[in-house]
Amino acid sequence: MSFKDGEMQTISVLGAIVISVGLFAPVLFLTEKAEATKTKFDDMESIEASVAYKKEKQKQPQKQTSQPEVKKDNTVSHDEKKKPLEGCKLDSECKADEKCKDGHCVAKKEPTTKPLDVDQTLAKFHHSDDDDNPTGKPVTQAGDFNGSEEGWAPITKGHPFWQGFAKDIHDNFSLPEISQANGIPVGCFHIAPDGKIVETKVKEKSGSPDLDQAAEHAIDAVKKLRNDNPTPVPTELLGAINRWICIRFDPKQAS
Amino acid sequence: MDMHSLRSKTSQLALCAFAFVAASASAQPSDNSGVVIDVNGAKRGLYPIALPVAPEGDAAAKEVAQVEGSDLGVAGVFKVLDPTSFLADLKTEQLGIDPQKWKDVGAFGVVKYRVTGDQIEFRLYEVSKGNTAALTKMYKRSGTTTRQIVHRWDNEVVKFYTNEAGFFGSQIAFTAKGKGTSTIMAMDFDGANAFVVSHNSSTNILPAWSPTGGKIAYTSFMRNNPDLYVGAPNGSRPTKISGQKGMNTGAAWSPDGSKIALTLSKDGNPEIYIINASDGSIVRRITNDKSIDTSPAWSPDGSELAFVSDRNGGPQIFVVSSSGGTPKQVSFNGNYNTTPTWSPKAGKHIIAYTTRDGGTYDIVTLDIDTKAMTRVTQNEGNNEEPAFSPNGRVIAYARQGQGIYISNADGSGKATKVYSGSATGVDWGPAPKD
């Protein structure tokens, strides 16, 4: 097989182009890749350098001059077992027996029967000589102090008044380092609507005499503090202070 | 429906309502009973103790109160209450207490005493346990001083609360600097009864108590070379124990008193050696490095030595086995750490040393196991050369140009000055024998 001059030239040019592409394309491709790779290596080097730079020598210790600040969060009791409501947008995001309402999963099951209206039912049986006097308003008014009951947990949850009260107690709850601290004493306050402390009592002793004394000291100190500078009980808490407000003096830090 | 059946139904409904309310209440017992507020974490601090002056009020009674207040005030355990706050009628109480009166002033403990012609009676009360004394002691006054009696009682008080021996009655040795002289001196830990140990006009430095307190080793230039001498604290003629060419400095007695670790430069470079305390013969060479190694200090069990070396740059604290081996650097704060000393607390690996922070020198402690550091001095001048009290609760140190101070080893409280004057090379002697 033979080629003419023109054909040979065309084939030569095409061959040169193919060879050139075959040679330069991998070079270009590898160069780009190398560029990219180089940048990554550079980053890694700078990261290593930066880590090495940040490793400082141990700093000089500073002398402790004051007690650490007390966190308010753990001082007032709250319901640890209560589960948060699960958020939702669609019914399908809830369990089979739940539906999505106002952004939360709630039980599908609606009450099938109306709740019993005791007043209405009893009215049918009203007798003219029955004693129908109201029994009191326990919500926003302070009733007579009822020393037989202690505490009202729901109303104390996270309220600033009780948090301030707890902080005052914590500030005065001091126990010598060398003293035993087993058990948890409980002390209670009878608080008047004007915020003054009417009466206190130690409800339970811990069995560690110094710890009990520390709790008593804190109770007495807070009584004096609050009586010298009373903080009136907020209206919404007035219903709580007809009971003893009791404090658990746990000498150990909350975990 | 007749009247009878209507009343009967009313009663049934009322019963149902009552049962409903009762059931609701029993389902949430925590809402209506018990505790409301939890207060967690009592502040932990010093033990408030009241030390009222005995009502007799004579000189001996006042001395008892003064020494007792001084002792317990620096014990590292107690907060001595201000006597002006006391509410109790001391004349009525005599040796007893009215617990409520002492509770009202915040006292947890009260010490009462009575001084008579031939004895002193002490009573310790724990206020929370009522008016029965928790500890009672009587001491004869003959053959001893009131000060010594009070120290003995105060050691009993410390032991009662902490189960540790107190350090009252122990002594501190130091180098007192005069014009062109350096004299070894010793005194009671509270600065009382200071006396001279080295009776020569040369330069004497770096005293070290033997474990029993019967001897003091120190370096003296009295033969023109810094040689190591051992003498009795009473100032009797000392014996040269190590006279190697060059430095014989920084002596530290082993816990059993049989050996002394020190720095020798007999071969040109300062290295740590252990010698026999009896004759100064070399037991072994501990370090062998071209750097400067100085200031050895024995661990309480005698198994390790802490010392200073600049082998890694600036002076830092290293620890090495007392039988030799490779030293391990333990201080890493700053670039200048010197004069280590071990806490005598059993089971602990705590050292105190001098550190330079900026332009000033301060005392810090380091728990070698946990790496926890505590600052003992700060913004109180230049403080150097710490020495632990025999129970490890307190540290004595020299404050440049001012004297000797003692502070709680945990960094709490204020420093107490026990010696005024230029002093260095502080070393705290052993607990007094009782």
Side-chain angles (χ1 to χ4, degrees):
Chain A
M1 193 167 122
S2 63
F3 294 100
K4 292 176 182 174
D5 285 347
E7 288 172 338
M8 279 297 287
Q9 279 179 347
T10 306
I11 289 169
S12 300
V13 169
L14 283 172
I17 290 169
V18 169
I19 290 168
S20 300
V21 169
L23 284 171
F24 285 105
V27 171
L28 280 170
F29 175 74
L30 287 173
T31 307
E32 277 182 18
K33 194 149 188 172
E35 285 287 334
T37 310
K38 189 184 173 191
T39 309
K40 283 180 184 171
F41 276 128
D42 283 349
D43 285 347
M44 289 176 75
E45 281 172 0
S46 71
I47 289 167
E48 285 176 357
S50 131
V51 169
Y53 179 75
K54 283 179 182 172
K55 189 179 177 185
E56 293 174 353
K57 284 184 176 178
Q58 189 176 3
K59 288 182 179 174
Q60 294 284 9
Q62 299 298 302
K63 191 169 182 180
Q64 189 175 332
T65 53
S66 60
Q67 295 283 345
E69 284 292 312
V70 179
K71 289 181 183 174
K72 286 184 178 179
D73 299 343
N74 293 329
T75 55
V76 176
S77 64
H78 58 278
D79 188 353
E80 300 271 358
K81 293 175 183 170
K82 189 175 180 182
K83 291 178 182 173
L85 289 170
E86 291 179 22
C88 64
K89 287 181 181 174
L90 300 168
D91 288 352
S92 59
E93 294 172 13
C94 300
K95 292 175 185 171
D97 57 344
E98 291 178 336
K99 64 179 182 180
C100 190
K101 189 179 179 184
D102 300 331
H104 298 294
C105 293
V106 296
K108 269 183 187 173
K109 200 175 180 181
E110 297 287 349
T112 50
T113 55
K114 287 184 179 177
L116 179 66
D117 186 340
V118 178
D119 287 342
Q120 198 177 7
T121 308
L122 286 176
K124 293 179 187 173
F125 307 104
H126 183 261
H127 194 261
S128 57
D129 57 359
D130 283 346
D131 182 5
D132 292 339
N133 289 329
T135 54
K137 298 176 182 176
V139 180
T140 59
Q141 288 183 0
D144 290 338
F145 179 67
N146 180 352
S148 65
E149 292 182 271
E150 290 144 349
W152 199 356
I155 210 164
T156 67
K157 281 180 190 171
H159 197 287
F161 178 81
W162 296 123
Q163 290 195 340
F165 198 80
K167 184 179 183 304
D168 284 349
I169 292 165
H170 191 275
D171 288 348
N172 289 284
F173 183 31
S174 178
L175 183 67
E177 186 72 49
I178 57 173
S179 296
Q180 294 289 320
N182 298 318
I184 298 175
V186 178
C188 302
F189 292 82
H190 169 197
I191 306 172
D194 63 3
K196 290 191 173 178
I197 310 295
V198 180
E199 195 181 357
T200 62
K201 69 174 183 179
V202 175
K203 187 188 169 201
E204 291 171 21
K205 292 200 169 189
S206 67
S208 301
D210 284 354
L211 177 56
D212 293 336
Q213 189 180 336
E216 282 177 49
H217 177 77
I219 291 168
D220 291 344
V222 170
K223 182 179 179 183
K224 184 176 186 313
L225 181 75
R226 291 264 162 172
N227 285 349
D228 289 348
N229 189 16
T231 304
V233 179
T235 308
E236 66 272 23
L237 299 183
L238 290 176
I241 59 168
N242 62 349
R243 301 152 194 260
W244 288 102
I245 303 300
C246 297
I247 313 293
R248 284 163 46 90
F249 291 85
D250 188 346
K252 298 177 180 67
Q253 289 288 347
S255 54
Chain B
M1 188 181 289
D2 61 11
M3 211 57 164
H4 176 76
S5 62
L6 197 146
R7 281 195 176 272
S8 172
K9 288 201 171 184
T10 307
S11 303
Q12 284 172 4
L13 275 168
L15 273 172
C16 284
F18 175 77
F20 175 74
V21 170
S24 304
S26 64
Q28 291 179 309
S30 61
D31 287 356
N32 286 318
S33 63
V35 172
V36 176
I37 300 172
D38 286 309
V39 173
N40 298 110
K43 289 179 197 161
R44 289 300 200 135
L46 300 173
Y47 188 91
I49 194 163
L51 309 173
V53 182
E56 296 88 16
D58 61 8
K62 284 178 181 170
E63 186 182 9
V64 170
Q66 185 268 322
V67 175
E68 187 163 58
S70 170
D71 281 358
L72 299 186
V74 299
V77 180
F78 303 105
K79 174 189 172 188
V80 178
L81 298 177
D82 179 1
T84 59
S85 69
F86 296 165
L87 302 171
D89 183 338
L90 301 176
K91 282 191 176 170
T92 306
E93 281 189 341
Q94 290 293 321
L95 281 174
I97 65 161
D98 176 348
Q100 191 56 50
K101 288 263 172 37
W102 294 103
K103 270 188 189 177
D104 289 345
V105 298
F108 277 63
V110 180
V111 173
K112 289 292 193 81
Y113 63 92
R114 177 162 50 203
V115 182
T116 59
D118 59 349
Q119 66 180 26
I120 304 177
E121 179 180 358
F122 289 96
R123 291 186 190 178
L124 170 67
Y125 294 90
E126 290 180 281
V127 174
S128 61
K129 292 181 181 172
N131 57 7
T132 304
L135 185 65
T136 301
K137 289 274 176 185
M138 279 204 260
Y139 300 92
K140 298 279 182 199
R141 296 182 69 183
S142 60
T144 186
T145 65
T146 301
R147 171 176 287 274
Q148 286 172 326
I149 290 172
V150 179
H151 285 331
R152 286 171 65 193
W153 162 252
D154 290 339
N155 283 331
E156 295 285 351
V157 173
V158 168
K159 185 149 194 175
F160 175 83
Y161 283 111
T162 67
N163 209 26
E164 294 170 359
F167 55 77
F168 312 120
S170 63
Q171 294 180 312
I172 291 173
F174 59 98
T175 304
K177 288 190 171 180
K179 289 178 181 174
T181 62
S182 289
T183 305
I184 304 301
M185 293 186 69
M187 62 184 183
D188 292 354
F189 83 97
D190 57 3
N193 303 321
F195 58 97
V196 173
V197 175
S198 63
H199 292 278
N200 64 69
S201 57
S202 185
T203 297
N204 306 280
I205 56 171
L206 300 169
W209 290 95
S210 66
T212 59
K215 294 173 184 172
I216 294 180
Y218 59 93
T219 297
S220 176
F221 287 75
M222 67 176 95
R223 301 283 184 270
N224 297 320
N225 189 63
D227 298 328
L228 186 70
Y229 292 81
V230 172
N234 63 12
S236 61
R237 190 178 181 84
T239 306
K240 184 157 72 173
I241 204 81
S242 180
Q244 303 280 355
K245 181 186 167 191
M247 296 166 64
N248 299 264
T249 59
W253 296 79
S254 63
D256 65 2
S258 66
K259 300 178 188 69
I260 292 175
L262 80 170
T263 302
L264 299 178
S265 62
K266 64 188 182 66
D267 298 322
N269 193 50
E271 302 285 357
I272 307 297
Y273 287 79
I274 292 175
I275 62 172
N276 276 314
S278 55
D279 59 6
S281 59
I282 292 174
V283 176
R284 74 179 65 91
R285 178 175 177 162
I286 297 297
T287 63
N288 191 352
D289 194 275
K290 61 184 179 183
S291 63
I292 296 171
D293 299 328
T294 61
S295 303
W298 293 85
S299 63
D301 64 0
S303 66
E304 291 174 299
L305 287 165
F307 66 98
V308 179
S309 177
D310 63 354
R311 62 187 63 197
N312 289 348
Q316 294 290 354
I317 313 298
F318 288 74
V319 171
V320 66
S321 166
S322 56
S323 56
T326 305
K328 181 184 165 194
Q329 185 175 341
V330 295
S331 70
F332 294 94
N333 60 310
N335 55 15
Y336 184 98
N337 296 301
T338 60
T339 62
T341 184
W342 289 84
S343 165
K345 278 189 179 288
K348 299 276 186 183
H349 265 101
I350 296 173
I351 56 170
Y353 55 91
T354 307
T355 188
R356 186 173 66 197
D357 186 6
T360 60
Y361 296 87
D362 278 309
I363 309 299
V364 295
T365 65
L366 168 68
D367 186 321
I368 293 173
D369 295 332
T370 66
K371 314 294 181 208
M373 294 191 72
T374 302
R375 190 136 180 171
V376 178
T377 63
Q378 188 164 18
N379 301 325
E380 300 160 271
N382 285 309
N383 303 283
E384 299 171 280
E385 299 176 276
F388 277 99
S389 64
N391 65 4
R393 284 192 176 269
V394 176
I395 293 177
Y397 51 89
R399 183 167 294 175
Q400 206 174 79
Q402 295 187 41
I404 297 172
Y405 284 73
I406 57 176
S407 290
N408 292 339
D410 63 4
S412 65
K414 291 181 177 176
T416 302
K417 191 176 194 175
V418 294
Y419 177 80
S420 288
S422 187
T424 60
V426 178
D427 191 51
W428 202 318
K433 290 179 192 139
D434 218 336

